[in-house]
Amino acid sequence: TESILKEYTVSGNVYNAKENSRAVGFTVKAVDVDVVGENVLDKEVVTDAEGNYTITYNYPDFARTKKEVGGADIVVYVYDKKGKLVAKSDKRPNSGRNTKIDLKIG
């Protein structure tokens, strides 16, 4: 079943430093960065009432070729309600099964 295939997560908290508050209702996208470009890891999610997000993805989302060694090389993007990019994480190479990436806006 689909739930068995989904074995990896990237999660964290998005904080709005400018407003000194949790970033609620922001869109979060995680990608695997490779030499050929970016592969989206599952679907975009929206931060919850605490500013938290969790994206669950599986091995084929980042292992596009047999040259893939280790885990996904993850970058996380955060967009405001108008779709404007407001935060981007540093690349987290060879991420494990459960990766935590917190982001700050402002």
Side-chain angles (χ1 to χ4, degrees), residues 28-76:
V28 180
K29 176 175 80 172
V31 299
D32 171 48
V33 179
D34 288 323
V35 177
V36 294
E38 297 180 347
N39 304 316
V40 178
L41 299 174
D42 202 51
K43 61 188 181 304
E44 296 176 348
V45 298
V46 176
T47 56
D48 66 14
E50 301 293 316
N52 296 315
Y53 73 92
T54 299
I55 295 173
T56 304
Y57 61 99
N58 57 45
Y59 185 76
D61 289 332
F62 67 89
R64 300 293 173 103
T65 69
K66 295 197 185 315
K67 293 180 181 178
E68 186 74 49
V69 177
D73 298 331
I74 298 176
V75 173
V76 176

Side-chain angles (χ1 to χ4, degrees), residues 1-8 56-60 97:
T1 63
E2 185 177 332
S3 62
I4 293 172
L5 293 175
K6 294 193 177 288
E7 299 176 357
Y8 296 80
T56 304
Y57 61 99
N58 57 45
Y59 185 76
R97 285 221 187 266

